[in-house]
Amino acid sequence: TTAATLERFTVNFTITNLPYTSDLQNPDSARFKSTRRVMNMMLDRLLKDSSIGPVFKGCETTDFRYEPGSDRDQTRVDAVCTYSKEPWAAPLDRVGLYHQVSNKTRGITQLGPYSLDKDSLYVNG
C-alpha cells in the first residue's frame, strides 16, 4: 500500500463587512491573530462537512489584504487548506468543492458573522 500524501489547495474570498486595517497586515498583531483564528475555525467547520471531509486536515489563513482600488471596508482572505490524498480517494474536485462551499455560505454571501462578496470565491487545486 502506498502512503497518503498531503496535498494543498487555496481558498480565497472577500469579506465585505471586515474593514481592512494595517494591523491585518501584521501577523504579530492581536487583530491578525484573532481574525485568523476565527477564519481557520470557520473554514475548517465548512470543509469538514464537505465531500473532502474524510480526508480534510485543516485550513490556515495566510494573508489578509485589500485589493488596490477597492473599498477599504472589504478584506481579501487567502487560506491554504490541506487534505490527505488517499490512494482510495477520488482526486480533488475543485468545481464540486466550489459549489459545496457556495451552498454552505448561502450562495457565497455569508460565513458566520461575515458577509462575503458573492463573486469573490476561488478554490484552486
Side-chain angles (χ1 to χ4, degrees), residues 17 46 101-102 104-117:
N17 64 341
L46 189 72
V101 171
S102 174
K104 291 172 191 302
T105 56
R106 295 194 190 127
I108 315 167
T109 60
Q110 201 73 42
L111 180 62
Y114 299 112
S115 300
L116 306 179
D117 174 340

Side-chain angles (χ1 to χ4, degrees), residues 19-27 29 31-32 64 72:
Y20 182 82
T21 56
S22 59
D23 53 353
L24 281 175
Q25 219 173 350
N26 176 2
S29 76
R31 183 154 192 243
F32 181 98
F64 298 105
R72 279 196 183 249

Side-chain angles (χ1 to χ4, degrees), residues 48-59:
K48 275 191 180 96
D49 283 343
S50 75
S51 59
I52 69 161
V55 295
F56 176 70
K57 298 298 178 201
C59 290

Side-chain angles (χ1 to χ4, degrees), residues 30-110:
R31 183 154 192 243
F32 181 98
K33 288 176 180 172
S34 65
T35 306
R36 181 177 63 190
R37 192 167 41 249
V38 169
M39 209 52 61
N40 292 349
M41 185 188 70
M42 287 193 288
L43 285 169
D44 286 356
R45 194 178 298 155
L46 189 72
L47 291 166
K48 275 191 180 96
D49 283 343
S50 75
S51 59
I52 69 161
V55 295
F56 176 70
K57 298 298 178 201
C59 290
E60 189 62 44
T61 303
T62 55
D63 202 16
F64 298 105
R65 57 195 166 90
Y66 82 101
E67 301 290 330
S70 77
D71 193 342
R72 279 196 183 249
D73 290 343
Q74 302 183 9
T75 298
R76 185 97 181 124
V77 178
D78 299 332
V80 176
C81 303
T82 307
Y83 68 101
S84 179
K85 191 173 172 151
E86 299 290 346
W88 49 263
L92 180 69
D93 175 9
R94 291 183 317 132
V95 174
L97 195 55
Y98 174 94
H99 288 296
Q100 290 173 55
V101 171
S102 174
N103 291 340
K104 291 172 191 302
T105 56
R106 295 194 190 127
I108 315 167
T109 60
Q110 201 73 42

